[in-house]
Amino acid sequence: TTIVCDRLGKGRHSGDVGSALLTFVGQRVRDLRKAKGISQEKLAERANLHRNYIGSVERGERDVGVTAVSKIVKALGLSLGDFFGPYRR
């Protein structure tokens, strides 16, 4: 995995499978959140995460870990299988 760091030290993947997965996760979180009529702030509260973190996940800026994904998915009322079901590499 190639990681490009900006001046704040946040990693951004460039053009690899990890990048595609981060894009998928971010877009999936945003789509499901909006479909459920939940704000980023409300989702963050339910997941016990900061609202800025949710926003950065949705934009694909975070190399989000398994624990955080699990918290977000649970807060959306889904299983991990249902969340990742549409993912195609």
Side-chain angles (χ1 to χ4, degrees):
T1 301
T2 303
I3 299 179
V4 178
C5 293
D6 63 21
R7 63 186 177 86
L8 297 176
K10 297 175 188 165
R12 279 186 268 148
H13 293 266
S14 58
D16 57 12
V17 174
S19 178
L21 183 57
L22 290 177
T23 299
F24 169 82
V25 168
Q27 191 63 53
R28 184 89 166 124
V29 168
R30 177 173 282 154
D31 291 347
L32 291 167
R33 177 183 61 75
K34 286 185 173 185
K36 293 179 180 284
I38 303 169
S39 67
Q40 286 181 348
E41 188 170 9
K42 188 62 160 177
L43 179 59
E45 181 182 303
R46 290 181 182 179
N48 197 30
L49 297 167
H50 196 278
R51 66 180 170 83
N52 292 344
Y53 186 82
I54 297 294
S56 65
V57 168
E58 289 185 358
R59 292 186 300 274
E61 296 172 352
R62 292 277 180 169
D63 193 357
V64 62
V66 174
T67 301
V69 169
S70 181
K71 287 179 174 184
I72 293 168
V73 169
K74 183 177 179 182
L76 289 167
L78 297 172
S79 69
L80 287 170
D82 288 338
F83 181 84
F84 284 105
Y87 181 70
R88 297 290 177 255
R89 195 170 171 194

